[in-house]
Amino acid sequence: MSTKHELILRYIEGLAVGEKISVRQVARALSVSEGTAYRAIKEAENQKLVNTIERVGTIRIEKKKKENIERLTFAEVVNIVDGVVLGGRDGLHKTLTKFVIGAMQLDDMRRYIDAGSLLIVGNRQKAHELALSAGAAVLVTGGFDAADDAKRLANELNLPIISSSYDSFTVATMLNRAIYDQLIEKEILLVEDIVTPLAETITFFPEDNVAHFNEVNRKTSHSGYPVIEKNGKLTGIVTSRDAVGKHENELIGKVMTTHPITVDGKTSVASAGHSMIWEGLDLLPVVGDNGLLSGIISRQDVLKAFQMAQRQPQQGEKIDDIVKNQMKSVPDQPQNIEFTVAPQMTNQFGSLSYGALTTLLTDVGNRAIKMRKRGESVPENMTIYFIKHVQLGSTIIVEPRILQMSRRFVKVDFDLFSDSELIAKAMVMYQLFER
């Protein structure tokens, strides 16, 4: 049975894009408390099914596909620029294709304005009407108002006119930053990107017996299989270890591992991989909010995803990317790394930040391990037991030394030098992630 929370989310998903909703409306429609409705609407906002705008309300928006995640809706634009909606509220759910800064003559502006674009301009009334007539929304900067005729046209065409107190440059910067952040989000691999769907997953029922398991396992040689109820709800995992030595008539429900560790489709592959390493798992079931099995991921799937991610060009630049871009091999000592402290890596005192330092150590250690042994590694713990002030622009030499390597763990010791002076010492323990 679905919970009230799930029922409300399904109700919201079923609403037409652009429809306004409220806590009271949802509570009345589904006969639930306003508290339950409020929590479900906040969850819908997290899932990007709705967007809440001050003085406008909560609007059902189209859930973006991952390939279009960097495209903003006009409702998101309002929140990003702290805007006020002057007209065209019924079009806030629409997605903008590009934004244009109106720093040109009207005749020149026509060439750049397309349907679905957003014109960023000050109090130029004719430019407002030109953009709306061309199918574009308008963002009025400087906190100016729009003419009543433009507002009427916006309402007729369902194209928003938004006013923001910021200037055009600041607004463009804020929108670029939002798109940039979403590009980074787009590049993060999620479980839903690599999952083997239920239709391709071999499953067992608790009523199946060990003889049936042995027959299937001989043909596939998989490491484990999910066990589900007739309604598709996950109830356990069964592996060869569970079935070995058991009588052939023994039921799967008696030998399986109950309450298995699971992930959902929105879990990052990195997080799922860490769970698999930490718990020693070869397979993770993927379930929905209602506990129904939607597929599985294997250790091999995660390894392939890690390798693929390293080969893909990156569009958004994260602190990890900035650190990696500063790393260079030392001539004649390929295991050692030379590194220059860039402005983005400093703290408020102009020193190398702890965040950048830990990223540097992790990456240099991973590189050293790969030079000795193929496969991925994940840091488990880190100890920095000596550190001096490292100022902006300093060049650092990082010397990693593998102290111990077993089948599952690696200990790496680090010495960091600047101008031949020891400026930091650290040790990192890695877990190896192998097939």
Side-chain angles (χ1 to χ4, degrees):
M1 283 227 6
S2 298
T3 64
K4 290 178 180 177
H5 190 82
E6 291 163 355
L7 286 171
I8 296 170
L9 287 176
R10 280 208 294 273
Y11 170 79
I12 293 171
E13 281 190 79
L15 293 174
V17 171
E19 190 168 336
K20 284 183 65 174
I21 63 170
S22 68
V23 169
R24 187 169 296 174
Q25 169 206 335
V26 171
R28 284 178 180 170
L30 299 178
S31 300
V32 297
S33 71
E34 291 191 3
T36 302
Y38 173 79
R39 286 189 292 273
I41 289 173
K42 294 306 287 184
E43 175 61 25
E45 199 167 349
N46 292 336
Q47 293 184 18
K48 298 186 177 173
L49 293 169
V50 299
N51 202 298
T52 302
I53 302 169
E54 193 175 349
R55 296 187 294 276
V56 173
T58 302
I59 300 168
R60 172 76 168 94
I61 60 173
E62 188 173 2
K63 191 171 184 180
K64 299 176 197 171
K65 294 180 179 177
K66 189 161 185 176
E67 59 267 26
N68 295 325
I69 195 169
E70 71 274 20
R71 291 192 171 186
L72 301 172
T73 63
F74 294 119
E76 288 173 311
V77 170
V78 175
N79 286 332
I80 291 165
V81 303
D82 297 327
V84 176
V85 182
L86 305 177
R89 292 186 177 192
D90 291 341
L92 286 168
H93 64 279
K94 295 178 180 177
T95 302
L96 69 95
T97 54
K98 66 176 182 180
F99 61 83
V100 179
I101 296 178
M104 60 195 86
Q105 296 295 329
L106 287 179
D107 289 340
D108 296 323
M109 210 178 284
R110 294 177 202 276
R111 297 204 301 266
Y112 296 96
I113 299 172
D114 304 316
S117 56
L118 174 69
L119 176 67
I120 301 173
V121 70
N123 58 339
R124 297 176 63 185
Q125 306 293 350
K126 288 185 178 178
H128 302 168
E129 293 181 18
L130 172 67
L132 292 167
S133 300
V138 178
L139 202 168
V140 185
T141 57
F144 292 110
D145 201 352
D148 290 341
D149 288 344
K151 293 177 185 176
R152 275 194 295 273
L153 186 58
N155 290 330
E156 287 170 16
L157 299 174
N158 293 333
L159 290 169
I161 295 185
I162 303 160
S163 177
S164 172
S165 59
Y166 299 112
D167 60 64
S168 297
F169 175 79
T170 304
V171 162
T173 303
M174 294 166 86
L175 294 179
N176 265 325
R177 179 73 245 184
I179 292 169
Y180 187 79
D181 288 346
Q182 294 197 14
L183 275 171
I184 292 175
E185 185 181 338
K186 180 180 181 177
E187 289 171 356
I188 296 171
L189 273 174
L190 303 179
V191 165
E192 66 185 11
D193 298 322
I194 65 167
V195 65
T196 300
L198 182 59
E200 299 171 24
T201 302
I202 298 170
T203 60
F204 288 91
F205 295 114
E207 300 80 22
D208 291 332
N209 57 33
V210 170
H212 176 50
F213 172 85
N214 289 335
E215 181 185 350
V216 172
N217 196 44
R218 274 194 298 271
K219 293 177 183 175
T220 64
S221 301
H222 290 176
S223 55
Y225 308 86
V227 183
I228 58 173
E229 301 286 357
K230 296 294 183 186
N231 63 0
K233 193 162 189 174
L234 181 74
T235 188
I237 288 282
V238 60
T239 66
S240 301
R241 290 192 296 272
D242 298 323
V244 69
K246 301 295 192 298
H247 193 277
E248 290 201 335
N249 291 329
E250 191 86 61
L251 297 180
I252 295 295
K254 297 281 187 180
V255 302
M256 69 181 183
T257 301
T258 57
H259 308 297
I261 295 169
T262 63
V263 291
D264 63 39
K266 296 299 180 186
T267 303
S268 71
V269 170
S271 177
H274 194 271
S275 296
M276 294 176 97
I277 293 174
W278 191 258
E279 301 291 344
L281 304 172
D282 294 318
L283 175 141
L284 271 177
V286 183
V287 298
D289 293 337
N290 48 14
L292 298 180
L293 182 71
S294 59
I296 57 168
I297 59 169
S298 67
R299 185 178 283 244
Q300 194 167 353
D301 294 331
V302 173
L303 268 173
K304 283 181 182 175
F306 283 162
Q307 290 158 3
M308 182 181 73
Q310 288 169 7
R311 292 194 295 266
Q312 293 298 314
Q314 303 294 302
Q315 296 183 62
E317 194 173 40
K318 304 177 281 293
I319 186 67
D320 289 42
D321 303 319
I322 296 169
V323 170
K324 284 176 183 172
N325 289 339
Q326 295 294 324
M327 290 168 50
K328 298 175 185 174
S329 294
V330 175
D332 304 323
Q333 296 177 306
Q335 77 278 9
N336 294 349
I337 289 294
E338 184 179 281
F339 174 84
T340 303
V341 180
Q344 301 96 321
M345 304 171 200
T346 56
N347 59 22
Q348 69 269 37
F349 306 114
S351 303
L352 178 67
S353 72
Y354 289 115
L357 177 60
T358 55
T359 299
L360 174 65
L361 293 172
T362 300
D363 286 344
V364 173
N366 275 326
R367 185 175 172 278
I369 292 167
K370 281 185 178 177
M371 292 174 76
R372 285 273 298 271
K373 187 170 184 174
R374 290 176 64 84
E376 302 296 327
S377 53
V378 178
E380 184 181 277
N381 61 62
M382 177 183 293
T383 304
I384 301 172
Y385 47 92
F386 171 70
I387 186 169
K388 282 187 174 181
H389 167 82
V390 185
Q391 71 179 35
L392 173 65
S394 299
T395 298
I396 301 170
I397 303 294
V398 186
E399 297 182 359
R401 187 168 61 257
I402 294 177
L403 300 179
Q404 182 182 9
M405 180 178 281
S406 66
R407 192 172 62 84
R408 291 186 62 191
F409 295 98
V410 184
K411 277 185 185 174
V412 185
D413 183 62
F414 297 87
D415 290 336
L416 285 80
F417 297 91
S418 181
D419 294 329
S420 301
E421 180 186 1
L422 183 69
I423 50 108
K425 286 186 72 67
M427 184 179 291
V428 182
M429 171 83 85
Y430 294 84
Q431 280 206 33
L432 290 174
F433 194 100
E434 296 180 309
R435 295 182 190 276

